[in-house]
Amino acid sequence: MTAMVIDNLHKRYVDRYTGEEIVAIGDVSFSVHEGEFVSILGPSGCGKTTVLNIVAGFIEKTRGTVTVGGTEVTAPGPDRGVVFQSHALFPWKTVLGNVTFGLRMKGMDKARREQAGRDVLELVGLSGFERKYPHELSGGMQQRLGVARVLVNEPAVMLMDEPFASIDAQTRRKLQQDLTALFELRRPTVFFVTHDIEEAVFLSDRVVVLSGRPSTVRDIVEVPLPRPRNWHAAVESTDFRTTVTRIESLLSGEEAHVGDGS
Amino acid sequence: MRIAARVFAHPVVRTLGPFVPVVLLWWLIARSGIVNESFFAGPGVVWSEFIDLVRKGILPSYLSDSVTRLAYGVGFGLLLGIPLGFLVGLNRWARRLTWPVLIFFQAIADIAWLPIVIVWFGFSLTAVTFVIVYTIVFPLTLGVVAGVDQVPDELVRAARSMGASRFRVFLEVIVPGSLPAVASGIRTGLGYGWRALIAAEIIVGTSGIGFMMFDARRVGDVAEVFLGMIILGILWYALDALVLAPFEQATVERWGMVRQVETTR
């Protein structure tokens, strides 16, 4: 089953200050299956976040179609929950208040949504922090909450915009590991934006590699790593190394397919 | 040492302690006779003036007049300024149409309105209220607009992508998100309003603390002028300590949105 289809996506805008027209996204097409983890990777400024923002309904596309769960995207909606790099938690709501926000918007009664909230907090390792405010949590814990807050709504696709980019390296490894475990347990559909090749390979089933601006899909790389995955095994596996090397060469513009996995 | 620390931590000591040297200096200057007694009243004289005015019932009645006027002015000011601020802050057209006008009227000082206000409303409560409302509305409106602007886009986006309607986004994100700036707008507005009240009472007044001070000056009662000044300070301090600071501590400070508000308790 296909959860999300992006077809001939094109985005053009006019720079406010210089007045020049910029083509951010040239022509991008790919799809994400239900229960699949797909990353989009590209050089910085290539418009990968723009793709996510269009899918989320935050900005308008110039041409093409984006379909999620069979309906075309026109505005933001709870079927496409977003995990932001800046976490974007509500400072005035407690951890429980943040995690139950979506369910409250849906009109779920208090007892049920708080139960669902507690369950998902336990899943991401935040039990016991229900009454805390976001600023009282560490960066890593804040992003766990960011993930929990989206996961609890069971969106058709979970959109993640470089969610671990502003977190220190050690914590980042742990969060990636825990996200993988969570994914393997719950099998949500995930669309993940990153500029970190190893992160993309470790987490994903497939990696969409974009070219520089105006971005087009250079290749879609299957990751041949078995699940469950862990960092320890991954870094030692040849499949991991060859996939990373292959993406590196795709990004540097070389067409040499080192250890072609297809 | 530990006992000393405990004593200094006590709320009464923390509140009144810093005033001890001020009062002492005041007393010393009055006592030394550097300044003529009829220009500079000492703490003792002001205190007996206070007792005297309370006994005669003048002070309580003037005080309640001033506070009532302020309450009216602030009430209408908040009712007008907060919705206006959200309208201008959220609606592109409202902002385009009103912004130059807001800046223009903000520049006309409250007291500059008094002459025409007296022509329109006479020496009345309406005149005083008008001036206070006018003074409060502009800093408040501009504060709310600044507050709306400082709500991060991503919080609005997050709420939208969790199924919040535009109206819910307003209630759940814009209002609390703009609270730090709104709270400081209220603080600034009240401060201006408080000053405007005294100015208005001096010119328009037939009663009130401002009137009392100006009237005392006319008959050369320096102690009463001093007393009025002290009362102004105490009232503002009380408003800050009992209303403004606790409100900020329970909201924006608790949420980690601003640095700790200086406690006045």
Side-chain angles (χ1 to χ4, degrees):
Chain A
M1 289 291 280
T2 312
M4 170 172 127
V5 181
I6 292 181
D7 194 31
N8 290 313
L9 188 66
H10 185 89
K11 173 70 182 175
R12 207 172 44 221
Y13 64 92
V14 175
D15 190 294
R16 260 184 78 183
Y17 299 104
T18 62
E20 87 189 284
E21 194 180 63
I22 291 164
V23 180
I25 302 170
D27 181 14
V28 166
S29 303
F30 62 91
S31 56
V32 179
H33 305 300
E34 238 168 64
E36 192 185 21
F37 198 121
V38 172
S39 290
I40 191 163
L41 194 67
S44 65
C46 76
K48 43 192 192 295
T49 291
T50 310
V51 174
L52 183 137
N53 281 338
I54 292 171
V55 174
F58 297 152
I59 59 177
E60 302 212 342
K61 57 191 182 282
T62 312
R63 253 199 337 263
T65 51
V66 175
T67 321
V68 170
T71 28
E72 191 169 348
V73 166
T74 49
D79 56 330
R80 285 153 289 130
V82 182
V83 181
F84 297 86
Q85 182 181 337
S86 63
H87 317 318
L89 303 169
F90 302 125
W92 48 86
K93 290 189 189 297
T94 60
V95 167
L96 193 62
N98 267 280
V99 87
T100 55
F101 183 85
L103 300 176
R104 197 155 61 84
M105 293 302 111
K106 221 195 276 181
M108 188 185 279
D109 65 78
K110 193 172 173 184
R112 279 180 59 210
R113 69 174 187 250
E114 292 203 339
Q115 190 51 54
R118 284 176 206 283
D119 289 348
V120 77
L121 286 177
E122 181 162 7
L123 198 63
V124 300
L126 283 178
S127 277
F129 292 94
E130 289 84 356
R131 298 275 156 231
K132 295 275 183 203
Y133 283 91
H135 76 103
E136 297 170 302
L137 306 179
S138 69
M141 287 159 83
Q142 289 185 14
Q143 199 55 300
R144 286 170 191 274
L145 177 56
V147 172
R149 184 175 72 162
V150 169
L151 209 59
V152 74
N153 300 318
E154 297 177 346
V157 56
M158 175 154 89
L159 308 173
M160 304 184 78
D161 186 8
E162 307 206 29
F164 308 140
S166 58
I167 286 164
D168 69 275
Q170 256 180 330
T171 312
R172 192 186 307 147
R173 279 282 185 270
K174 176 86 175 99
L175 288 173
Q176 290 159 343
Q177 184 67 64
D178 290 352
L179 178 63
T180 293
L182 194 65
F183 173 76
E184 283 155 5
L185 184 72
R186 285 284 202 96
R187 284 285 164 171
T189 308
V190 183
F191 178 55
F192 194 96
V193 172
T194 179
H195 61 264
D196 180 339
I197 300 174
E198 294 198 347
E199 175 176 80
V201 173
F202 175 69
L203 292 171
S204 314
D205 298 312
R206 286 186 300 146
V207 180
V208 177
V209 182
L210 296 185
S211 67
R213 210 150 67 184
S215 52
T216 52
V217 177
R218 186 155 275 174
D219 202 354
I220 298 174
V221 178
E222 296 259 357
V223 179
L225 294 178
R227 290 185 186 276
R229 292 177 185 175
N230 70 71
W231 268 114
H232 216 67
V235 289
E236 308 220 314
S237 104
T238 357
D239 282 339
F240 180 79
R241 292 281 13 135
T242 47
T243 313
V244 168
T245 316
R246 175 155 173 234
I247 293 173
E248 274 170 357
S249 60
L250 280 169
L251 285 173
S252 61
E254 298 162 21
E255 292 304 317
H257 286 211
V258 185
D260 198 343
S262 55
Chain B
M1 278 310 283
R2 289 187 60 181
I3 296 168
R6 186 104 44 92
V7 167
F8 281 111
H10 193 277
V12 173
V13 177
R14 256 171 55 190
T15 307
L16 298 179
F19 290 103
V20 171
V22 177
V23 175
L24 204 65
L25 186 69
W26 176 22
W27 177 79
L28 274 173
I29 294 173
R31 188 66 196 268
S32 68
I34 304 169
V35 196
N36 189 319
E37 212 182 314
S38 51
F39 294 146
F40 198 93
V45 186
V46 173
W47 178 255
S48 53
E49 182 80 37
F50 169 71
I51 299 293
D52 187 44
L53 284 175
V54 170
R55 199 171 291 149
K56 285 182 188 153
I58 294 173
L59 191 60
S61 121
Y62 277 8
L63 195 58
S64 90
D65 282 354
S66 286
V67 171
T68 308
R69 285 170 192 149
L70 185 69
Y72 269 105
V74 167
F76 285 116
L78 292 176
L79 277 176
L80 208 64
I82 291 179
L84 186 65
F86 280 117
L87 181 71
V88 175
L90 289 169
N91 188 292
R92 199 150 39 104
W93 283 106
R95 186 181 297 214
R96 250 179 229 174
L97 289 174
T98 56
W99 197 252
V101 182
L102 280 176
I103 302 294
F104 175 84
F105 279 106
Q106 188 208 11
I108 305 173
D110 41 24
I111 309 170
W113 276 88
L114 276 171
I116 192 68
V117 164
I118 293 168
V119 172
W120 291 341
F121 304 115
F123 293 85
S124 63
L125 177 63
T126 317
V128 178
T129 309
F130 179 94
V131 173
I132 298 172
V133 169
Y134 182 89
T135 319
I136 289 175
V137 160
F138 290 96
L140 193 57
T141 302
L142 298 174
V144 175
V145 172
V148 170
D149 285 347
Q150 83 181 20
V151 177
D153 263 354
E154 299 217 314
L155 292 188
V156 174
R157 288 178 163 186
R160 296 276 290 148
S161 77
M162 285 188 284
S165 64
R166 286 191 186 282
F167 181 64
R168 292 305 284 270
V169 168
F170 174 72
L171 286 184
E172 307 273 349
V173 182
I174 304 288
V175 170
S178 59
L179 207 56
V182 174
S184 74
I186 290 176
R187 190 182 274 275
T188 316
L190 282 181
Y192 287 179
W194 186 229
R195 279 165 228 185
L197 169 72
I198 302 308
E201 281 181 347
I202 285 173
I203 297 167
V204 181
T206 48
S207 69
I209 301 296
F211 171 76
M212 179 187 94
M213 289 166 68
F214 213 65
D215 201 45
R217 180 210 62 97
R218 204 167 41 80
V219 297
D221 190 345
V222 175
E224 205 173 312
V225 177
F226 272 39
L227 180 62
M229 291 164 72
I230 291 167
I231 287 170
L232 293 182
I234 291 175
L235 273 180
W236 179 257
Y237 194 93
L239 181 66
D240 189 85
L242 299 177
V243 183
L244 299 177
F247 171 73
E248 286 169 342
Q249 276 157 14
T251 56
V252 293
E253 193 187 314
R254 179 74 186 90
W255 306 332
M257 293 170 75
V258 290
R259 287 182 299 113
Q260 273 205 346
V261 179
E262 180 57 40
T263 46
T264 45
R265 281 173 300 170

